[in-house]
Amino acid sequence: MPAEVVAARGVALARRVRELDELRTAPVTGAGDAEVAAPTVAAYVSIGGEPDTRALIDALRAAGVRVLLPVLLPDNDLDWAVYEGPEHLAPAGWGLREPDGPRLTPEAVAEADVVLLPGLAVDRTGLRLGRGGGSYDRVLARLERSGRPTSLVVLLYDDEVLERVPAEPHDRRVHAAVTPSGVHRFRH
C-alpha cells in the first residue's frame, strides 16, 4: 500500500476509534454524579503493514485520554508506559517504537478501560488472529484474571474482517474490530 494511503486510512481509523462508546468519559468510582474521569486506553505503535496508529494515539492523548503503550520484554511479555508524545518514542528491537518513560509493570494493562489490539484478522464471532508471538495472548489472559471489565478492540483494515479464522484453545475473543470504514461489534 502506498504511504499516503496508509496514512489516510490511519486518520480514518483514528476517527472511527474515537466514535467508540467505551471512550466516552466514565464516572469516577465512588465519586459524585458530576465527577468524571477520562478513560485509560492501552494502545500500540503500529509497524510494518499494520494500520497506522500514530494519528490515533496522538488524538487520544490530545483528548485527555491516558494512553498506555507496550514495551516488549525479553520473554515477549509486555510491560507498559504512559505515552507522552511522539518525541518520547524510542526505537526498540523488531522495528518497534516504545515510550521512553517509566515502566509500569505488565499488570498495568488491567488499568485500561479499552485495550486496542493489533491483529492479522478477526472473524465474525470476534476471534482475533494475532502474529503468533504470544505477547497479546498473555495480555488477554492477564486481563481475564483481573476480573475488571475491559473492552477489547482489534484494529484492522476492512478486508481483514473474515468469516472464520483458525483458533487455538488459548485464543480469546474481542468485543469489537475497528476498521477505517466502521466499528464491527461481536456477541459472545
Side-chain angles (χ1 to χ4, degrees):
M1 224 180 294
E4 62 273 5
V5 173
V6 171
R9 289 185 180 173
V11 170
L13 186 73
R15 185 176 55 251
R16 295 296 183 188
V17 168
R18 290 192 314 264
E19 294 172 359
L20 289 171
D21 289 339
E22 294 91 330
L23 291 180
R24 308 224 189 282
T25 54
V28 175
T29 305
D33 292 335
E35 294 185 52
V36 293
T40 295
V41 174
Y44 63 96
V45 180
S46 56
I47 60 168
E50 296 174 337
D52 190 349
T53 60
R54 291 173 298 173
L56 169 60
I57 60 177
D58 285 336
L60 290 172
R61 183 171 177 267
V65 173
R66 180 175 180 242
V67 178
L68 304 179
L69 294 178
V71 177
L72 186 65
L73 297 172
D75 66 355
N76 281 343
D77 203 351
L78 297 176
D79 199 339
W80 299 88
V82 175
Y83 177 57
E84 297 293 345
E87 67 279 6
H88 291 283
L89 292 176
W94 302 101
L96 300 172
R97 298 195 46 83
E98 299 175 339
D100 62 7
R103 305 304 187 243
L104 302 174
T105 76
E107 288 74 27
V109 72
E111 298 170 16
D113 300 292
V114 177
V115 176
L116 302 176
L117 303 156
L120 298 175
V122 67
D123 71 17
R124 301 284 177 192
T125 69
L127 190 61
R128 173 189 155 269
L129 180 63
R131 292 189 177 269
S135 298
Y136 279 92
D137 292 326
R138 294 180 197 188
V139 167
L140 295 173
R142 187 171 285 123
L143 289 167
E144 190 174 284
R145 285 191 307 271
S146 80
R148 189 171 182 274
T150 303
S151 184
L152 307 174
V153 180
V154 63
L155 305 178
L156 299 167
Y157 290 113
D158 293 301
D159 62 352
E160 295 170 334
V161 179
L162 307 174
E163 285 303 315
R164 190 167 192 179
V165 298
E168 304 251 348
H170 61 270
D171 289 333
R172 305 285 194 281
R173 285 181 163 64
V174 297
H175 301 107
V178 176
T179 68
S181 69
V183 176
H184 308 265
R185 296 279 178 183
F186 307 111
R187 296 178 198 221
H188 300 169

